[in-house]
Amino acid sequence: MVMKQGFTQNQTQQQKQVQRLAMTQTLQQSIQMLQYNAEELQNFLKQKEMDNPLITVEVAEERPLSKVSKNSDTHETFMNQIASDTEQSLFDYLLDQVHLTMRDTPLRKLVLFLLDYVDQNGYLRITKDEIKQKTQADDIAIMDAITLLQQLDPPGVGARTLQESLMLQTENDEGSPEIAYMVLEESFDDLVDRNWEKIAQRYDITLVEVQEVFDYVRTLTPNPGAGFGKQDRGYITPDLIFKLENGEPRLIQSKASRPRVSFSQEYFEQLRKKADDEVSSYVNEKKREYDWIAKSLTQRQDTILRVGKIIFERQQDFFLQKSKELSPLMLRDVANKLHLHESTVSRAVNGKYIATPFGTFELRSFFSNAVNQTSDVSADAAKLKIKEIIDQEDKEKPISDAKIEKQLKAQGVTISRRTVAKYREALGIPSSSKRKRYLEK
């Protein structure tokens, strides 16, 4: 009897450990989803769509409108292109190929037009009807231009769907399995859904050969443009959009940050009815995967929007262009107000951007410590005032940190001389003795 009780307790403990492990994994996956920026999220979901035959991902493409701006100075100041000069963007790489390989003809002009609609992952994001409407080109010219675009490097670029991208990559690979292109063209859904027996019967090949095709396809990339500069031409995809409608401020989520993941319930039921325990276990696992993806997506969108609203409330003068200075705001302020952990807020603002009529800004750039515990002036605002004072000084008689301290106090900013020195050094401005200039009379 004692042995039986001990076994039951041990079994219960094991079940709790398994449940705790499952909860830990789910939490880690939710954290991972929140960490992704809009582009990384789309890439992640596309990969999940390839691996899970029960889900379909719909991403609303939204052409980015603004370069990233630096809000610690003025609304009019824009940062230089984010991507390093040594990191060639996909757009520039394709543009170089067009100029080097195509003669100056109307067809080349049409290819150059299409380049503007190739996103950072290498996909062509414009329909045939839209091309015709914007260019007045006929159907044959449009198809010829798309074909020329798809012949450029990297293989798969210019595709309009994942299936087409994989076909283009296979077509350009001499080492691909002989049957791979045909399977992708005619039986793509069956390959994704792992209906291997159906494929084997259709092409009179073995299941081993089908497996070889599947393994090969997994080596291809769903994002042929991903190897280039992450920020194509210095542009990014915003998560939030701020705009004024009839004078009223509005904060909304961008379409690109709200991908939709749908579940094929009918196909799920069909597979689950099969007597095969292995198949049943497989589909139940894929159903659980869909559940956490859907839940994590909702949590991600809700968290970023809630954090964005708190940032807007605190920095409203900046958004409404009443001031170019930021108010003090710390991660813990937002965390306390939303009853979240500071690390959650940090993940929600890192790599996430908000588009405004006067530029696009990273959410984390709106956080700034106060100059001291009793002040409502941020450290960034104090640094800006110090810079303005020094810019206006007599270059032959630069003012000391002590005099800067007094001028700041007159403007309502009370900080110590040591703090003035610290902020001045952070701005890369030398001391007064090293700023002195001898000007011609």
Side-chain angles (χ1 to χ4, degrees):
M1 185 71 178
V2 174
M3 288 179 63
K4 185 176 181 181
Q5 183 179 5
F7 174 77
T8 304
Q9 288 176 346
N10 189 38
Q11 191 176 44
T12 302
Q13 186 176 8
Q14 288 179 347
Q15 288 175 344
K16 287 181 178 179
Q17 289 175 342
V18 171
Q19 290 173 349
R20 193 179 300 115
L21 178 61
M23 288 177 66
T24 302
Q25 290 174 336
T26 302
L27 178 61
Q28 289 175 341
Q29 289 163 343
S30 298
I31 290 172
Q32 182 185 41
M33 193 87 78
L34 182 59
Q35 285 180 163
Y36 289 142
N37 61 31
E39 177 191 351
E40 292 168 341
L41 177 65
Q42 292 176 19
N43 293 343
F44 170 76
L45 292 177
K46 283 178 183 176
Q47 187 60 54
K48 286 297 180 183
E49 184 178 32
M50 285 190 67
D51 295 340
N52 191 333
L54 299 176
I55 67 175
T56 302
V57 177
E58 298 176 40
V59 178
E61 289 295 329
E62 195 160 40
R63 288 184 64 75
L65 303 176
S66 311
K67 288 185 179 180
V68 179
S69 306
K70 183 179 179 182
N71 61 7
S72 61
D73 193 351
T74 67
H75 289 305
E76 293 74 32
T77 302
F78 292 96
M79 290 177 67
N80 291 327
Q81 186 171 326
I82 291 180
S84 168
D85 291 337
T86 60
E87 291 182 340
Q88 188 178 31
S89 70
L90 176 63
F91 175 86
D92 290 334
Y93 182 60
L94 296 174
L95 186 63
D96 287 348
Q97 292 179 69
V98 172
H99 286 314
L100 288 171
T101 62
M102 299 182 193
R103 291 181 294 108
D104 189 7
T105 64
L107 191 57
R108 187 179 86 156
K109 288 183 173 63
L110 193 52
V111 175
L112 291 172
F113 167 83
L114 295 179
L115 290 188
D116 274 327
Y117 293 90
V118 175
D119 70 14
Q120 54 200 357
N121 293 316
Y123 286 86
L124 182 61
R125 299 302 186 184
I126 185 172
T127 66
K128 186 177 174 182
D129 289 340
E130 289 172 334
I131 298 171
K132 185 182 293 187
Q133 182 181 1
K134 292 176 182 291
T135 65
Q136 308 303 313
D138 59 43
D139 291 345
I140 295 177
I142 291 171
M143 290 309 299
D144 286 346
I146 292 175
T147 300
L148 287 174
L149 172 62
Q150 292 178 346
Q151 288 174 353
L152 299 177
D153 190 70
V157 75
R160 289 152 291 184
T161 64
L162 173 62
Q163 180 184 6
E164 187 175 31
S165 178
L166 297 175
M167 288 168 60
L168 289 168
Q169 293 175 59
T170 302
E171 187 178 30
N172 280 274
D173 183 6
E174 294 181 356
S176 64
E178 187 176 347
I179 197 73
Y181 184 92
M182 191 180 299
V183 172
L184 284 170
E185 183 179 31
E186 301 173 350
S187 304
F188 180 72
D189 290 338
D190 286 330
L191 186 67
V192 171
D193 296 341
R194 301 192 184 217
N195 292 329
W196 291 353
E197 290 184 358
K198 186 176 178 180
I199 295 173
Q201 290 175 3
R202 180 172 185 177
Y203 301 103
D204 192 24
I205 57 177
T206 66
L207 291 174
V208 172
E209 290 174 298
V210 178
Q211 175 72 65
E212 287 175 356
V213 171
F214 183 81
D215 290 343
Y216 168 76
V217 171
R218 287 177 67 92
T219 67
L220 304 178
T221 174
N223 305 300
F228 293 81
K230 291 184 178 180
Q231 305 296 343
D232 194 12
R233 287 175 289 167
Y235 288 85
I236 54 89
T237 302
D239 296 85
L240 300 174
I241 298 173
F242 166 74
K243 54 186 176 181
L244 291 172
E245 291 185 354
N246 299 322
E248 292 295 320
R250 280 196 67 198
L251 186 66
I252 61 174
Q253 287 186 308
S254 68
K255 294 177 182 177
S257 70
R258 291 183 286 116
R260 293 181 58 187
V261 180
S262 54
F263 182 74
S264 178
Q265 187 67 33
E266 183 178 352
Y267 187 45
F268 170 70
E269 296 295 345
Q270 289 176 0
L271 292 176
R272 198 169 60 166
K273 287 177 182 177
K274 293 186 177 181
D276 191 333
D277 290 341
E278 188 175 343
V279 172
S280 179
S281 175
Y282 171 79
V283 296
N284 284 331
E285 177 191 340
K286 294 304 178 184
K287 173 65 166 63
R288 287 192 295 271
E289 183 178 59
Y290 161 77
D291 288 338
W292 81 253
I293 287 176
K295 181 178 179 181
S296 297
L297 264 180
T298 300
Q299 289 178 339
R300 178 187 185 277
Q301 294 164 4
D302 178 64
T303 301
I304 293 175
L305 183 59
R306 290 171 67 204
V307 170
K309 287 180 176 178
I310 298 298
I311 290 173
F312 170 74
E313 289 173 6
R314 183 64 180 173
Q315 310 294 4
Q316 197 166 137
D317 284 348
F318 177 86
F319 281 101
L320 299 178
Q321 293 186 277
K322 294 179 180 178
S323 170
K324 59 186 177 184
E325 299 171 3
L326 293 177
S327 300
L329 181 64
M330 300 182 69
L331 289 175
R332 68 166 174 261
D333 298 334
V334 178
N336 291 337
K337 194 158 188 176
L338 296 179
H339 304 291
L340 297 172
H341 196 277
E342 277 188 51
S343 62
T344 301
V345 177
S346 177
R347 294 186 185 98
V349 299
N350 286 335
K352 315 304 187 304
Y353 294 83
I354 179 169
T356 74
F358 45 85
T360 298
F361 307 88
E362 189 173 10
L363 291 182
R364 68 177 176 182
S365 66
F366 291 98
F367 290 85
S368 178
N369 294 343
V371 294
N372 54 55
Q373 293 182 345
T374 60
S375 176
D376 60 354
V377 176
S378 70
D380 283 347
K383 289 176 184 177
L384 183 59
K385 289 182 181 295
I386 291 171
K387 184 177 183 300
E388 289 174 346
I389 291 171
I390 292 174
D391 286 344
Q392 295 169 11
E393 71 183 357
D394 183 344
K395 303 308 176 186
E396 291 185 287
K397 298 178 181 179
I399 58 177
S400 65
D401 292 339
K403 289 183 178 179
I404 293 175
E405 176 192 352
K406 290 180 180 179
Q407 288 195 31
L408 287 173
K409 189 173 183 179
Q411 296 180 30
V413 181
T414 303
I415 57 176
S416 69
R417 184 196 58 77
R418 291 182 62 183
T419 302
V420 170
K422 183 177 77 172
Y423 287 173
R424 174 180 52 71
E425 290 170 1
L427 290 166
I429 300 174
S431 63
S432 58
S433 62
K434 294 181 180 179
R435 295 199 308 273
K436 186 173 182 179
R437 294 291 176 268
Y438 297 93
L439 306 177
E440 291 184 8
K441 300 297 182 181

